[in-house]
Structure formats: C-alpha cells, structure tokens
Amino acid sequence: MALEHAILVSLTERAGSGYELARRFDRSIGYFWPATHQQIYRVLRRMDEAGWVRHTEIAQDGRPDKKLYRVSAAGKAELSRWLAEPEDPAVLRDGLGVKLRGASLGDPGVVLKEIERHRAEHANRLEVYRGIQSRDFPKPATLHGRDLHQYLVLRGGIRAEESFVAWCDEVIDALRKDTR
C-alpha cells in the first residue's frame, strides 16, 4: 500500500486541508499507516498533479490561503482499483525479537530493560485504542458500513497490542526467572 491510498481513504471519509489531514493521521489512521506532516503535504501535491484529488482555495485572514482537498472521480477510480487488488500478508520485522534471541551474547539485563520499555509503550497504545473504542464506538453491535469498518480496524489494533503486551509479560517473567 502507498500513502496515497491511505490519504484517499481518509479524504473519502471527509474532505480536509493538508493540516487537517495530518492531524487525522496523528489521531487515527496514522496508528496503522504512519506518515509525517511533510510526507502528507508532498503526497497531496503529487495526487493533485495526478488528478486523484482536487482542491479549493479558501481565503484566511492574516494567513496563506487554505487548500481544501476532495477526492476526484479519478481518485475514486484509483481507490476502487486498489481495494480490489490483493494485499500481501504483513511480514514481521522485529528488532526486539532479534535482540532477545541474541541476549546471551551480551547483557540479558539490558535486553530485559528494553523489553520492559516496549511493554510500557504498547500498554500505553492499548489504552489509547481502548479510549478511542469507548469514545467513538460505545455500541459496536449497532455499527454498519464505514463505522463498522473503522471499528474492525481498531479492534485489530487492540488485539495486536493485547497480544504484544501479553508476550512481553511472558518474556519478562521468563528472563527474571533465568537471572535468579
């Protein structure tokens, strides 16, 4: 997948400026397909040139005009083409796993601290995802269409974080026992 497709999905949900789109990435889609603000602006420019999006300039007092982007017919066609295309399964590349495998070649205590740090980061992200779930999807059984799809992506993130935290707990417990 390219960033272009993540932007098309987001702009199909709601038109927005580059700044608004970047903020949306920071709060939602970026958890699953991260992008910097600079990347988003650069890709928006390319998409505009390719005809996948169109923009309207909105005058602002004391600031440069704001560009409000919408998906064009060509962008909708590209999104439909991409949605029908098979997606390769994700390949896990995890440096933490490699460090754990090599822990006996260095200081296992340092690796343990790194596992604990990762566990804390993933536990924090899990709480963010659960907060989004309770705020945005309080009644999941009633969801359909776009809301259901967004909820299911969020549930995938929650399940992945729960699994990673549980694995970290298992590793931490095992490493602590091994160092006694």
Side-chain angles (χ1 to χ4, degrees), residues 15-177:
S17 68
Y19 175 77
E20 292 163 346
L21 188 58
R23 296 215 4 111
R24 269 189 253 160
F25 264 71
D26 290 344
R27 290 187 321 264
S28 62
I29 204 165
Y31 287 117
F32 303 96
W33 195 265
T36 66
H37 291 212
Q38 293 83 4
Q39 288 172 311
I40 290 169
Y41 282 105
R42 192 170 44 249
V43 169
L44 272 174
R45 220 176 0 265
R46 255 194 337 257
M47 292 171 67
D48 201 7
E49 291 167 3
W52 290 0
V53 296
R54 296 283 180 243
H55 71 270
T56 307
E57 297 209 9
I58 300 170
Q60 300 185 108
D61 289 336
R63 292 186 287 176
D65 291 350
K66 175 168 89 169
K67 291 181 181 179
L68 184 67
Y69 291 91
R70 288 187 169 76
V71 177
S72 67
K76 288 178 184 174
E78 170 55 21
L79 188 54
S80 291
R81 183 207 62 78
W82 174 75
L83 287 168
E85 186 178 90
E87 187 73 27
D88 290 334
V91 176
L92 178 64
R93 291 180 60 173
D94 184 13
L96 188 62
V98 176
K99 284 185 177 200
L100 177 58
R101 184 170 175 140
S104 63
L105 304 173
D107 181 352
V110 171
V111 175
L112 173 60
K113 293 269 186 245
E114 185 66 356
I115 300 277
E116 290 169 337
R117 185 178 73 79
H118 279 253
R119 188 217 182 273
E121 291 283 331
H122 285 276
N124 287 338
R125 189 175 308 149
L126 176 58
E127 288 312 305
V128 168
Y129 289 176
R130 286 178 174 159
I132 292 169
Q133 179 179 333
S134 23
R135 181 191 71 221
D136 295 348
F137 306 105
K139 297 180 180 176
T142 65
L143 299 174
H144 61 279
R146 180 181 294 158
D147 291 337
L148 175 62
H149 305 153
Q150 290 174 349
Y151 170 75
L152 292 172
V153 170
L154 179 62
R155 286 296 303 154
I158 288 171
R159 299 286 299 262
E161 295 302 335
E162 287 171 340
S163 178
F164 197 84
V165 167
W167 176 74
C168 285
D169 288 341
E170 180 181 343
V171 169
I172 291 165
D173 184 53
L175 290 179
R176 286 181 179 157
K177 287 177 184 172

